[in-house]
């Protein structure tokens, strides 16, 4: 009975925490026009409000995953919730765009600690034959957060103001902290206790990631190209270092010797790179081009995550019984179709057309995500659960940052550093069309990555 209580408590706590961060992300996306209006922010700086959060989360995911394996997942998870809660409060009080971006960086650090430990705690608490169902429930909570984010975010932004979105996270964060100390006070997971932490590798990894993402967002400027080259060289040095030491922050042999792990992570990276900016782009389209309020735009955007929340638990349960590769590949194909639907969007596009595209995307992503995640976590030994969870989170976060980076690059080339006013609407529509074409091509390649694993 005690073990069952621990399983259910771990699932409850990790699931609540997994709800908070996507809710925060999707609700802030819908509030971006209101933030831009208050601070008179240009399009490029505005896009750094979600990007700074994602980039910081990606930077720290792998190091904190390793720290969790060594010192305990519950410790890292609890510290992450505390940091996330404090950062949310500070973000609500931000006096400027730059201050808000700074507080979002701190929020990203806390989120990284939550991301990498939540899934690992569930994987550690549940036996393999129950793991897919538990992961499906956890991922469904993520999509529920995505579902409620645009709707509640739109309502809150419209009636109370965008700052209330950040204030809302504070009581939820405090609730999770109380539950951890109440339900899991005697529980801890540390499969690599006593091993050394690879600080040089962590610094090189984080620096390389920042250089690549910063460079990508600065293209076509010469400094952007230089930053990407420097970042790639650092990544190569990181791989060489990790292969040569006894306790690496990221065991690279998992990628070279584990086909299922490598291709499942590649598929996840491609999928998130092609899908994350969808809400950002459609939020701007619906509010600027279509003239909808934040509230009404959120009601339309809810179609995609609702389908995700419905499909994901069933897909996770089925992946315990059947080959997840086929299910995930079908999901990737549907996502490609959904992206192509938006590649021809225009000022005259009907709301019904947009909702159909969002439904197709939601079904595809629901079929892909939990089977793919179950395949990753089930392909490694228990001692690698923290690192594998961190890798899942890193693929998601890096993919999300790349997705925003692609959108930022197209915006920089076609719109420039100006506020989005009616004169820029034709360029905004063209930017959205080009971005969706790029995303569709990426996702089409992801179908083959998904099928390539055994």
């Amino acid at each position: 009975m005690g073990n069952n209580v621990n399983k259910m408590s771990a699932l409850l706590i990790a699931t609540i925490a997994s709800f908070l961060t996507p809710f925060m992300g999707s609700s802030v996306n819908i509030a971006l026009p209101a933030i831009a209006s208050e601070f008179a922010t240009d399009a490029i700086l505005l896009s750094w409000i979600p990007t700074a959060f994602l980039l910081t989360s990606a930077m720290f995911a792998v190091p904190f995953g390793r720290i969790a394996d060594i010192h305990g997942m519950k410790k890292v998870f609890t510290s992450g919730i505390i940091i996330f809660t404090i950062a949310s409060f500070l973000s609500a009080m931000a006096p400027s765009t730059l201050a808000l971006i700074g507080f979002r960086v701190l929020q990203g650090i806390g989120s990284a600690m939550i991301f990498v430990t939540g899934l690992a705690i569930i994987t550690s608490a549940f036996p393999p034959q129950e793991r897919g169902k538990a992961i499906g429930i956890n991922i469904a909570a993520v999509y529920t957060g995505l579902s409620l984010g645009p709707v509640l975010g739109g309502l809150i932004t419209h009636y109370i103001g965008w700052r209330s979105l950040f204030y809302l996270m504070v009581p939820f964060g405090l609730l999770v902290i109380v539950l951890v100390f109440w339900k899991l006070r005697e529980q801890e997971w540390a499969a690599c206790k006593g091993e050394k932490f690879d600080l040089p590798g962590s610094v090189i990894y984080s620096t390389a990631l920042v250089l690549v993402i910063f460079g990508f967002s600065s293209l076509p400027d010469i400094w952007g190209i230089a930053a990407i080259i420097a970042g790639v060289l650092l990544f190569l040095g990181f791989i060489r270092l990790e292969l040569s030491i006894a306790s690496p922050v990221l065991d690279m042999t998992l990628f070279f010797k584990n086909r299922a792990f490598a291709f499942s992570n590649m598929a996840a990276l491609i999928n998130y790179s092609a899908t994350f900016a969808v809400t950002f782009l459609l939020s701007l389209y619906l509010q600027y081009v279509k003239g909808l309020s934040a509230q009404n735009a959120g009601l339309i955007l809810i179609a995609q995550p609702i389908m995700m929340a419905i499909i994901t638990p069933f897909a996770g349960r089925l992946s315990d019984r059947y080959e997840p590769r086929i299910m995930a590949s079908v999901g990737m194909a549907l996502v490609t179709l959904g992206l192509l639907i938006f590649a021809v969007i225009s000022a005259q596009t009907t709301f019904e057309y947009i909702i159909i595209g969002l439904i197709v995307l939601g079904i595809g992503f629901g079929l892909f995500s939990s089977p793919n995640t179950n395949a990753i976590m089930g392909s490694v030994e228990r001692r690698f659960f923290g690192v594998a969870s961190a890798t899942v989170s890193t693929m998601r976060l890096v993919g999300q940052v790349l997705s925003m980076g692609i959108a930022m690059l197209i915006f920089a080339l076609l719109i420039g550093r100006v506020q989005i006013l009616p004169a820029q609407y034709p360029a905004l529509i063209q930017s959205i069309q080009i971005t969706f074409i790029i995303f569709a091509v990426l996702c089409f390649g992801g179908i083959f990555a998904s099928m390539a694993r055994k």
Side-chain angles (χ1 to χ4, degrees):
M1 179 66 72
N3 185 47
N4 189 55
V5 170
N6 283 340
K7 286 194 299 184
M8 293 301 105
S9 298
L11 179 60
L12 173 65
I13 291 166
T15 298
I16 294 174
S18 296
F19 168 87
L20 294 180
T21 45
F23 176 85
M24 185 83 268
S26 60
S27 61
V28 168
N29 273 341
I30 206 76
L32 288 176
I35 297 172
S37 177
E38 178 173 335
F39 293 135
T41 308
D42 65 62
I44 304 302
L45 190 60
L46 185 68
S47 62
W48 271 104
I49 294 173
T51 302
F53 171 80
L54 295 170
L55 177 57
T56 312
S57 299
M59 283 173 57
F60 289 98
V62 167
F64 278 126
R66 180 61 178 162
I67 290 172
D69 278 336
I70 296 172
H71 297 289
M73 294 177 191
K74 190 183 76 174
K75 290 177 184 176
V76 174
F77 178 85
T78 307
S79 300
I81 285 290
I82 293 171
I83 293 171
F84 178 85
T85 305
I86 293 171
S88 298
F89 179 76
L90 293 174
S91 297
M93 302 176 67
S96 66
T97 304
L98 289 177
L100 179 58
I101 291 172
F103 294 140
R104 290 284 278 166
V105 167
L106 183 61
Q107 198 177 41
I109 294 173
S111 295
M113 301 168 81
I114 298 168
F115 285 151
V116 301
T117 49
L119 181 59
I121 287 173
I122 291 174
T123 307
S124 298
F126 282 83
Q129 65 272 17
E130 300 177 13
R131 192 173 295 151
K133 180 180 177 181
I135 289 173
I137 292 171
N138 184 254
I139 294 178
V142 173
Y143 294 151
T144 303
L146 288 170
S147 301
L148 293 178
V151 179
L152 291 183
L155 286 170
I156 292 169
T157 301
H158 184 74
Y159 289 106
I160 308 177
W162 63 267
R163 295 178 186 273
S164 300
L165 298 174
F166 293 100
Y167 282 127
L168 184 64
M169 293 297 100
V170 176
F172 278 102
L174 293 174
L175 171 63
V176 174
I177 294 168
V178 170
L179 285 173
V180 169
F181 286 106
W182 178 29
K183 294 291 187 180
L184 300 179
R185 59 184 180 275
E186 297 179 359
Q187 188 69 54
E188 185 56 280
W189 298 271
C192 300
K193 194 171 184 178
E195 294 186 11
K196 292 183 179 180
F197 175 67
D198 177 20
L199 181 60
S202 299
V203 172
I204 294 172
Y205 168 85
S206 298
T207 305
L209 191 60
V210 170
L211 285 171
V212 170
I213 300 303
F214 173 78
F216 197 83
S217 65
S218 301
L219 291 174
D221 189 89
I222 186 66
W223 293 109
I225 298 172
I228 290 174
I229 294 173
V232 170
L233 291 175
L234 273 180
F235 267 125
L236 293 175
F238 169 75
I239 293 172
R240 184 175 180 180
L241 173 66
E242 298 305 281
L243 290 172
S244 65
I245 60 178
S247 299
V249 68
L250 178 59
D251 193 333
M252 299 305 299
T253 60
L254 289 175
F255 291 95
F256 294 121
K257 297 181 180 180
N258 190 328
R259 183 187 180 97
F261 183 83
F263 279 100
S264 296
N265 274 290
M266 182 186 298
L269 176 63
I270 293 171
N271 189 273
Y272 283 105
S273 297
T275 58
F276 180 74
V278 169
T279 302
F280 171 75
L281 294 170
L282 292 181
S283 173
L284 297 182
Y285 169 81
L286 291 170
Q287 292 184 69
Y288 285 123
V289 179
K290 289 296 192 180
L292 296 184
S293 65
Q295 173 187 353
N296 290 332
L299 289 173
I300 290 177
L301 291 173
I302 194 176
Q304 177 188 346
I306 276 183
M307 295 310 301
M308 294 177 182
I310 292 172
I311 298 294
T312 301
F314 295 104
R317 187 176 300 175
L318 288 173
S319 71
D320 283 331
R321 302 179 183 178
Y322 305 109
E323 171 62 62
R325 176 173 61 112
I326 304 300
M327 202 182 316
S329 301
V330 171
M332 187 81 84
L334 285 174
V335 171
T336 305
L337 175 61
L339 293 170
L340 287 173
I341 288 173
F342 292 121
V344 294
I345 204 169
S346 69
Q348 290 73 42
T349 299
T350 64
F351 294 130
E352 292 81 4
Y353 182 89
I354 293 170
I355 291 171
I356 289 171
L358 289 169
I359 289 173
V360 173
L361 273 178
I363 294 172
F365 205 90
L367 286 173
F368 170 81
S369 190
S370 36
N372 193 69
T373 303
N374 195 17
I376 294 172
M377 299 304 295
S379 68
V380 299
E381 301 171 21
R382 177 175 289 273
R383 66 186 304 270
F384 292 122
F385 280 170
V387 169
S389 177
T391 307
V392 171
S393 300
T394 301
M395 293 301 111
R396 179 175 70 245
L397 294 166
V398 172
Q400 289 173 345
V401 173
L402 288 174
S403 191
M404 289 299 298
I406 292 170
M408 290 166 65
L409 172 59
I410 303 301
F411 275 33
L413 293 175
L414 298 184
I415 301 176
R417 292 184 175 274
V418 296
Q419 265 191 286
I420 300 176
L421 301 173
Q424 280 78 45
Y425 288 179
L428 175 63
I429 293 173
Q430 186 182 9
S431 299
I432 291 172
Q433 291 171 338
I434 292 173
T435 305
F436 274 119
I437 291 171
I438 295 171
F439 287 167
V441 171
L442 269 175
C443 222
F444 181 74
I447 298 173
F448 299 98
S450 183
M451 288 295 295
R453 58 189 162 188
K454 296 290 185 180

